[in-house]
Amino acid sequence: MNYTLHQLRIFQKVAEHQSITKASEELHLTQPAVSIQLRNFQDQFSIALTEVVGRRLFLTDFGKEIAIAAERILEEVNSINYKTMEFEGNLAGRLKIAVVSTGKYVMPYFLSGFMEDNPGVDLVMDVTNKSAVIRNLEGNEVDFALVSVLPKHFTVHNIELMENRLHLVGSSQKRLSGLKELRTAPLIFRENGSATRMAMENFLSKKKISVAKKIELTSNEAVKQAVMAGLGFSIMPLIGIKNELGNGDLKLFPIKGLPIITNWNLIWMPSKKFSPVSSAFLDYLELQKSDIMENRFKWFKDYVAKDDSVFLG
């Protein structure tokens, strides 16, 4: 056996995604480079690690066992690297955060300074819907989670980062005079499990609006593109549509009961035992969140400071 750590990393990523394309994207390598290293790694074994069925790549049973071992080896290597940096007086380790889909417009700005100050810290950020985020938190798979609505079925600790506002959004070519027209308009929803969808459904329920035509899409970006194309209206977070509002692709429609206002919160389990990295990140947020809001979200603060009717024109 003469495989390298580089080959182990490549195989682990191919195993994780069951795709050479996705593994190459994450590793910032070309597909041919990944394929060559995967083949070189396979040559170390007499039993197949992968198989292609119907043009899809799958791990064999043996491949699954090797993938587990590879992940374990790489974790130990990372641990050695972190310990070395710690002995050199540097903060080192891994920070794991689960983020609801719209949170991808928020969380990176609260992370960038910390990551720049601490090059020994590796970041793992999983962006998904709220249901999956909460499962990851409860399962102790992450250190923190970013949500706009706090969970109700269990207790968490939290630090409030910034306000979140959801508005009725449509193409700039659309017209909508009020709730009466909204009752007959096509509406575009996120998938089940999304906090944005739940907020939208709660609003429609309170206003006793039965949806005449529903379109369901599985990402905030997909909803945004559908709204811009004129397929219908949606209730969306302001934080994710700054550019589209600025260039006139989207328009906010004033409707009684909107905007829905919540807050972005970084949350964690009360029983969570923090690593030095996790503790340092919380300290960083406490000290820097006001400056981050001022420097990175001034446009949002300026909007909130205005009367909605002025902003909406």
Side-chain angles (χ1 to χ4, degrees):
M1 294 291 178
N2 195 30
Y3 46 79
T4 66
L5 287 175
H6 182 54
Q7 290 171 349
L8 279 175
R9 288 191 182 94
I10 287 176
F11 177 68
Q12 192 270 328
K13 286 300 175 186
V14 170
E16 178 183 340
H17 297 292
Q18 296 196 47
S19 166
I20 290 175
T21 300
K22 291 181 180 178
S24 65
E25 290 173 354
E26 185 166 338
L27 293 166
H28 305 291
L29 297 171
T30 65
Q31 291 186 42
V34 170
S35 295
I36 289 169
Q37 291 301 320
L38 183 63
R39 184 166 61 249
N40 291 341
F41 186 64
Q42 172 65 78
D43 289 344
Q44 307 292 315
F45 305 94
S46 59
I47 305 172
L49 298 169
T50 63
E51 57 184 347
V52 177
V53 180
R55 300 180 66 182
R56 289 185 58 193
L57 184 145
F58 295 90
L59 295 182
T60 63
D61 288 343
F62 179 67
K64 292 175 184 176
E65 294 294 327
I66 298 301
I68 293 171
E71 186 169 2
R72 191 181 307 122
I73 292 168
L74 292 171
E75 286 286 346
E76 290 298 326
V77 171
N78 287 334
S79 178
I80 291 171
N81 292 336
Y82 296 148
K83 288 182 187 302
T84 301
M85 297 190 74
E86 287 171 2
F87 270 89
E88 292 173 344
N90 299 313
L91 186 67
R94 183 172 291 180
L95 181 64
K96 295 182 179 179
I97 304 177
V99 177
V100 295
S101 298
T102 312
K104 65 177 175 285
Y105 303 110
V106 175
M107 199 67 240
Y109 295 100
F110 287 92
L111 282 161
S112 59
F114 179 77
M115 297 301 295
E116 185 176 348
D117 292 343
N118 299 284
V121 173
D122 292 329
L123 172 66
V124 179
M125 190 169 79
D126 182 26
V127 181
T128 183
N129 66 34
K130 184 184 178 184
S131 295
V133 165
I134 296 302
R135 283 198 303 272
N136 287 339
L137 188 69
E138 285 187 289
N140 199 34
E141 295 177 23
V142 294
D143 301 308
F144 303 103
L146 181 72
V147 296
S148 59
V149 179
L150 296 175
K152 296 179 180 179
H153 62 286
F154 63 94
T155 301
V156 296
H157 289 169
N158 70 293
I159 177 172
E160 190 174 294
L161 299 183
M162 63 180 290
E163 192 172 87
N164 183 39
R165 289 192 164 210
L166 291 88
H167 288 266
L168 182 68
V169 181
S171 164
S172 56
Q173 307 302 315
K174 291 284 188 179
R175 298 291 179 269
L176 190 79
S177 61
L179 285 172
K180 184 177 180 180
E181 287 190 17
L182 186 62
R183 297 178 190 280
T184 58
L187 298 179
I188 303 172
F189 291 78
R190 284 284 306 279
E191 78 284 1
N192 282 321
S194 160
T196 301
R197 179 186 179 120
M198 287 186 278
M200 186 170 174
E201 288 179 334
N202 288 338
F203 171 77
L204 295 172
S205 176
K206 287 179 181 177
K207 297 298 181 182
K208 296 181 170 55
I209 295 176
S210 298
V211 180
K213 183 176 182 180
K214 178 188 288 189
I215 300 170
E216 183 176 308
L217 300 173
T218 57
S219 76
N220 197 66
E221 287 298 317
V223 171
K224 187 193 300 183
Q225 293 298 323
V227 172
M228 285 194 293
L231 283 176
F233 297 86
S234 188
I235 291 177
M236 302 184 68
L238 178 69
I239 196 73
I241 55 176
K242 172 193 173 185
N243 293 335
E244 291 74 17
L245 289 173
N247 61 29
D249 288 332
L250 291 177
K251 178 181 176 182
L252 305 184
F253 290 82
I255 293 287
K256 188 176 181 180
L258 293 177
I260 300 167
I261 301 175
T262 58
N263 287 288
W264 288 108
N265 283 273
L266 192 72
I267 63 174
W268 62 94
M269 300 296 286
S271 57
K272 181 69 179 176
K273 289 181 172 57
F274 282 148
S275 67
V277 169
S278 300
S279 294
F281 182 56
L282 272 187
D283 292 342
Y284 168 84
L285 287 181
E286 292 285 5
L287 290 172
Q288 299 295 329
K289 68 174 185 175
S290 295
D291 287 343
I292 293 169
M293 275 296 301
E294 185 62 36
N295 296 326
R296 308 306 290 268
F297 294 99
K298 187 176 185 305
W299 69 272
F300 190 91
K301 288 186 68 178
D302 289 346
Y303 158 69
V304 171
K306 295 177 182 178
D307 180 79
D308 284 355
S309 61
V310 173
F311 182 84
L312 293 170

